[in-house]
PDB file of all heavy atoms in Angstrom:
ATOM      1  N   ASP A  58     105.957  84.689  88.534  1.00  0.00           N
ATOM      2  CA  ASP A  58     106.877  84.673  87.397  1.00  0.00           C
ATOM      3  C   ASP A  58     106.169  84.923  86.076  1.00  0.00           C
ATOM      4  O   ASP A  58     106.783  85.407  85.113  1.00  0.00           O
ATOM      5  CB  ASP A  58     107.600  83.326  87.335  1.00  0.00           C
ATOM      6  CG  ASP A  58     108.590  83.168  88.480  1.00  0.00           C
ATOM      7  OD1 ASP A  58     109.062  84.198  88.989  1.00  0.00           O
ATOM      8  OD2 ASP A  58     108.873  82.015  88.865  1.00  0.00           O
ATOM      9  N   ASP A  59     104.871  84.618  86.025  1.00  0.00           N
ATOM     10  CA  ASP A  59     104.129  84.719  84.766  1.00  0.00           C
ATOM     11  C   ASP A  59     103.069  85.806  84.759  1.00  0.00           C
ATOM     12  O   ASP A  59     102.445  86.041  83.719  1.00  0.00           O
ATOM     13  CB  ASP A  59     103.447  83.373  84.449  1.00  0.00           C
ATOM     14  CG  ASP A  59     104.443  82.226  84.369  1.00  0.00           C
ATOM     15  OD1 ASP A  59     105.519  82.434  83.774  1.00  0.00           O
ATOM     16  OD2 ASP A  59     104.149  81.148  84.924  1.00  0.00           O
ATOM     17  N   SER A  60     102.837  86.470  85.892  1.00  0.00           N
ATOM     18  CA  SER A  60     101.720  87.416  85.960  1.00  0.00           C
ATOM     19  C   SER A  60     102.091  88.626  86.811  1.00  0.00           C
ATOM     20  O   SER A  60     102.776  88.489  87.839  1.00  0.00           O
ATOM     21  CB  SER A  60     100.485  86.727  86.555  1.00  0.00           C
ATOM     22  OG  SER A  60      99.442  87.659  86.767  1.00  0.00           O
ATOM     23  N   TYR A  61     101.636  89.807  86.348  1.00  0.00           N
ATOM     24  CA  TYR A  61     101.812  91.024  87.141  1.00  0.00           C
ATOM     25  C   TYR A  61     100.727  91.157  88.208  1.00  0.00           C
ATOM     26  O   TYR A  61     100.834  92.010  89.088  1.00  0.00           O
ATOM     27  CB  TYR A  61     101.784  92.254  86.231  1.00  0.00           C
ATOM     28  CG  TYR A  61     103.087  92.493  85.505  1.00  0.00           C
ATOM     29  CD1 TYR A  61     103.259  92.052  84.206  1.00  0.00           C
ATOM     30  CD2 TYR A  61     104.142  93.147  86.131  1.00  0.00           C
ATOM     31  CE1 TYR A  61     104.461  92.270  83.529  1.00  0.00           C
ATOM     32  CE2 TYR A  61     105.352  93.366  85.474  1.00  0.00           C
ATOM     33  CZ  TYR A  61     105.503  92.925  84.175  1.00  0.00           C
ATOM     34  OH  TYR A  61     106.693  93.123  83.507  1.00  0.00           O
ATOM     35  N   THR A  62      99.692  90.362  88.124  1.00  0.00           N
ATOM     36  CA  THR A  62      98.584  90.424  89.079  1.00  0.00           C
ATOM     37  C   THR A  62      98.513  89.130  89.870  1.00  0.00           C
ATOM     38  O   THR A  62      99.091  88.113  89.489  1.00  0.00           O
ATOM     39  CB  THR A  62      97.251  90.656  88.361  1.00  0.00           C
ATOM     40  OG1 THR A  62      96.984  89.556  87.482  1.00  0.00           O
ATOM     41  CG2 THR A  62      97.294  91.950  87.549  1.00  0.00           C
ATOM     42  N   THR A  63      97.801  89.178  90.977  1.00  0.00           N
ATOM     43  CA  THR A  63      97.632  87.995  91.799  1.00  0.00           C
ATOM     44  C   THR A  63      96.751  86.966  91.103  1.00  0.00           C
ATOM     45  O   THR A  63      95.959  87.314  90.218  1.00  0.00           O
ATOM     46  CB  THR A  63      97.019  88.371  93.162  1.00  0.00           C
ATOM     47  OG1 THR A  63      96.968  87.219  94.001  1.00  0.00           O
ATOM     48  CG2 THR A  63      95.619  88.926  92.996  1.00  0.00           C
ATOM     49  N   THR A  64      96.894  85.729  91.479  1.00  0.00           N
ATOM     50  CA  THR A  64      96.097  84.652  90.899  1.00  0.00           C
ATOM     51  C   THR A  64      95.286  83.985  91.994  1.00  0.00           C
ATOM     52  O   THR A  64      95.573  84.127  93.186  1.00  0.00           O
ATOM     53  CB  THR A  64      96.998  83.603  90.228  1.00  0.00           C
ATOM     54  OG1 THR A  64      97.870  83.025  91.225  1.00  0.00           O
ATOM     55  CG2 THR A  64      97.847  84.239  89.133  1.00  0.00           C
ATOM     56  N   ALA A  65      94.275  83.225  91.582  1.00  0.00           N
ATOM     57  CA  ALA A  65      93.384  82.573  92.546  1.00  0.00           C
ATOM     58  C   ALA A  65      94.145  81.594  93.437  1.00  0.00           C
ATOM     59  O   ALA A  65      93.813  81.421  94.622  1.00  0.00           O
ATOM     60  CB  ALA A  65      92.264  81.851  91.796  1.00  0.00           C
ATOM     61  N   GLU A  66      95.189  80.964  92.899  1.00  0.00           N
ATOM     62  CA  GLU A  66      95.944  79.986  93.677  1.00  0.00           C
ATOM     63  C   GLU A  66      96.679  80.620  94.849  1.00  0.00           C
ATOM     64  O   GLU A  66      97.035  79.944  95.813  1.00  0.00           O
ATOM     65  CB  GLU A  66      96.947  79.263  92.780  1.00  0.00           C
ATOM     66  CG  GLU A  66      96.338  78.362  91.716  1.00  0.00           C
ATOM     67  CD  GLU A  66      95.808  79.141  90.516  1.00  0.00           C
ATOM     68  OE1 GLU A  66      96.100  80.378  90.433  1.00  0.00           O
ATOM     69  OE2 GLU A  66      95.103  78.550  89.675  1.00  0.00           O
ATOM     70  N   MET A  67      96.914  81.914  94.784  1.00  0.00           N
ATOM     71  CA  MET A  67      97.689  82.585  95.825  1.00  0.00           C
ATOM     72  C   MET A  67      96.834  82.988  97.023  1.00  0.00           C
ATOM     73  O   MET A  67      97.367  83.409  98.054  1.00  0.00           O
ATOM     74  CB  MET A  67      98.394  83.814  95.228  1.00  0.00           C
ATOM     75  CG  MET A  67      99.348  83.430  94.112  1.00  0.00           C
ATOM     76  SD  MET A  67      99.905  84.858  93.167  1.00  0.00           S
ATOM     77  CE  MET A  67     100.932  85.647  94.385  1.00  0.00           C
ATOM     78  N   GLY A  68      95.527  82.900  96.894  1.00  0.00           N
ATOM     79  CA  GLY A  68      94.628  83.115  98.013  1.00  0.00           C
ATOM     80  C   GLY A  68      94.604  84.531  98.540  1.00  0.00           C
ATOM     81  O   GLY A  68      94.999  85.485  97.853  1.00  0.00           O
ATOM     82  N   VAL A  69      94.182  84.661  99.795  1.00  0.00           N
ATOM     83  CA  VAL A  69      93.976  85.979 100.382  1.00  0.00           C
ATOM     84  C   VAL A  69      95.299  86.723 100.583  1.00  0.00           C
ATOM     85  O   VAL A  69      95.365  87.955 100.476  1.00  0.00           O
ATOM     86  CB  VAL A  69      93.206  85.859 101.719  1.00  0.00           C
ATOM     87  CG1 VAL A  69      94.031  85.125 102.775  1.00  0.00           C
ATOM     88  CG2 VAL A  69      92.785  87.228 102.232  1.00  0.00           C
TER      89      VAL A  69
END
Side-chain angles (χ1 to χ4, degrees):
D58 290 334
D59 303 318
S60 173
Y61 281 97
T62 62
T63 185
T64 61
E66 293 78 10
M67 299 167 70
V69 66

